Amino acid sequence: MLAAAEQANQVSALPHETPARQAKPQPRGAHPTQGSHTATPRRRSGSRRALNARILAAAAACAILVVFIVHGILNSRSTTVPSANAPATSTTRPTQAAPTPAPMQSLAPVKLSVEGELASDVTSTSVPQQARGTFTTVAGTAPGREGGEPVSYKIDIEDGLPLLADKVAENVHAILNDPRGWGRTFNRTDGTADVRIVLASPTRVDTLCAPLSTRGHSSCRNGTNVVLNAYRWVNGAGMWTQMGLTMTDYHIYMVNHEMGHYLGHGHEQCLTPGGLAPVMKQQSNDGGNNGGCKPNGWPNPR
């Protein structure tokens, strides 16, 4: 109680304070005076404008920097792109001219007949009695003359013989498909074939022709094998040269006679003395007069 009374006395003893003067209201549209709290928004607006200006200046500087960088990169490249109106400059890499293709060589037509002498297909007249015993098929194919019953054949040559394989194949094909021949369409292949034509050394011929007796100087047909003696192919038979005929004539006889056996024909004899011998007459003699007939190798001579 005493404390409350003393507090009340102290309050009453304070000097009388005059109430603060209220600020006069500003008329509408009047600018606030300096020191008034309304001046604070104007300072904030100014600072925003300054910040925006600094941002724009920085952006412009960055844009200029990017332009300089891009320009430098483009100038550093080794090639230039000419304008639409300017000619290409020397900085453009020259294009190399395309190589001129070699002219195409036309393939020689396949010979389907014998005209004159056949091309030489031997490299020596020395034929070993026994070669290597292995065989190589002449590569490639050749169509035969159209119009006849087709017969496919391939040519195998014993390794180690003095023969030019491509020339042998060319000559045999011309003989078989000649109009004077058997009238079949002989198609050469290097794969599976109806008949196999073999050129072999004398000893190998005896083996391939057994049980037929060829005695190292004859040829034969054994099954689907037409076996030609390489010694005869290279050196011929004496009777032919003695009667003025050529190695081509004898080759024609060898091929057609043995192919005739494959086609089912047997041996024949001379019927007309002084006339042409039938192709199926045995005519590989080294002498004699061929039974009174002129040597002939064509099934249908003209």
Side-chain angles (χ1 to χ4, degrees), residues 50-96:
L51 178 61
N52 290 339
R54 286 195 294 272
I55 292 173
L56 292 176
C62 291
I64 293 173
L65 180 60
V66 169
V67 170
F68 276 103
I69 292 174
V70 172
H71 182 71
I73 293 174
L74 293 178
N75 286 339
S76 65
R77 292 186 177 180
S78 59
T79 57
T80 59
V81 179
S83 64
N85 297 324
T89 63
S90 60
T91 58
T92 303
R93 182 179 298 174
T95 58
Q96 296 181 352

Side-chain angles (χ1 to χ4, degrees), residues 86-122:
T89 63
S90 60
T91 58
T92 303
R93 182 179 298 174
T95 58
Q96 296 181 352
T100 303
M104 295 183 62
Q105 297 181 354
S106 59
L107 298 177
V110 177
K111 294 182 179 180
L112 299 176
S113 63
V114 177
E115 299 177 2
E117 294 298 305
L118 293 170
S120 175
D121 52 18
V122 303

Side-chain angles (χ1 to χ4, degrees), residues 132-157:
R132 299 176 188 172
T134 57
F135 294 85
T136 298
T137 300
V138 180
T141 62
R145 181 181 299 276
E146 296 181 355
E149 181 179 347
V151 177
S152 62
Y153 74 96
K154 67 177 182 178
I155 299 177
D156 287 353
I157 299 178

Side-chain angles (χ1 to χ4, degrees), residues 1-2 6 30 48 94 107 111 163 167 185 187 190 192 249 260:
M1 292 293 291
L2 290 176
E6 289 178 359
R48 287 195 187 98
L107 298 177
K111 294 182 179 180
L163 299 175
K167 290 298 182 182
T185 298
N187 301 307
D190 52 12
T192 303
D249 297 320

Side-chain angles (χ1 to χ4, degrees), residues 243-297:
M243 300 184 74
L245 299 173
T246 67
M247 191 63 67
T248 292
D249 297 320
Y250 184 67
H251 285 177
I252 292 170
Y253 162 75
M254 285 184 72
V255 172
N256 283 326
H257 181 90
E258 301 304 338
M259 185 60 72
H261 284 311
Y262 170 77
L263 296 175
H265 299 277
H267 285 142
E268 300 179 13
Q269 300 298 323
C270 283
L271 298 178
T272 305
L276 289 176
V279 68
M280 295 311 297
K281 182 186 184 304
Q282 292 177 305
Q283 303 177 73
S284 286
N285 301 320
D286 288 321
N289 64 354
N290 201 35
C293 293
K294 296 178 181 178
N296 168 56

Side-chain angles (χ1 to χ4, degrees), residues 96-267:
Q96 296 181 352
T100 303
M104 295 183 62
Q105 297 181 354
S106 59
L107 298 177
V110 177
K111 294 182 179 180
L112 299 176
S113 63
V114 177
E115 299 177 2
E117 294 298 305
L118 293 170
S120 175
D121 52 18
V122 303
T123 59
S124 171
T125 58
S126 178
V127 178
Q129 181 67 24
Q130 180 174 347
R132 299 176 188 172
T134 57
F135 294 85
T136 298
T137 300
V138 180
T141 62
R145 181 181 299 276
E146 296 181 355
E149 181 179 347
V151 177
S152 62
Y153 74 96
K154 67 177 182 178
I155 299 177
D156 287 353
I157 299 178
E158 186 177 3
D159 299 321
L161 294 176
L163 299 175
L164 299 172
D166 291 342
K167 290 298 182 182
V168 169
E170 179 181 309
N171 291 338
V172 170
H173 196 71
I175 293 170
L176 288 174
N177 287 283
D178 192 285
R180 294 166 288 182
W182 289 109
R184 306 293 180 92
T185 298
F186 289 96
N187 301 307
R188 183 169 71 85
T189 181
D190 52 12
T192 303
D194 298 324
V195 58
R196 175 186 179 224
I197 299 176
V198 183
L199 280 90
S201 61
T203 297
R204 186 58 57 182
V205 168
D206 291 345
T207 301
L208 294 173
C209 291
L212 300 174
S213 178
T214 51
R215 302 183 306 278
H217 69 270
S218 298
S219 301
C220 78
R221 187 275 308 175
N222 196 358
T224 58
N225 290 328
V226 167
V227 184
L228 304 179
N229 192 309
Y231 178 83
R232 290 294 192 186
W233 187 267
V234 172
N235 296 288
M239 181 191 69
W240 291 75
T241 57
Q242 292 169 12
M243 300 184 74
L245 299 173
T246 67
M247 191 63 67
T248 292
D249 297 320
Y250 184 67
H251 285 177
I252 292 170
Y253 162 75
M254 285 184 72
V255 172
N256 283 326
H257 181 90
E258 301 304 338
M259 185 60 72
H261 284 311
Y262 170 77
L263 296 175
H265 299 277
H267 285 142

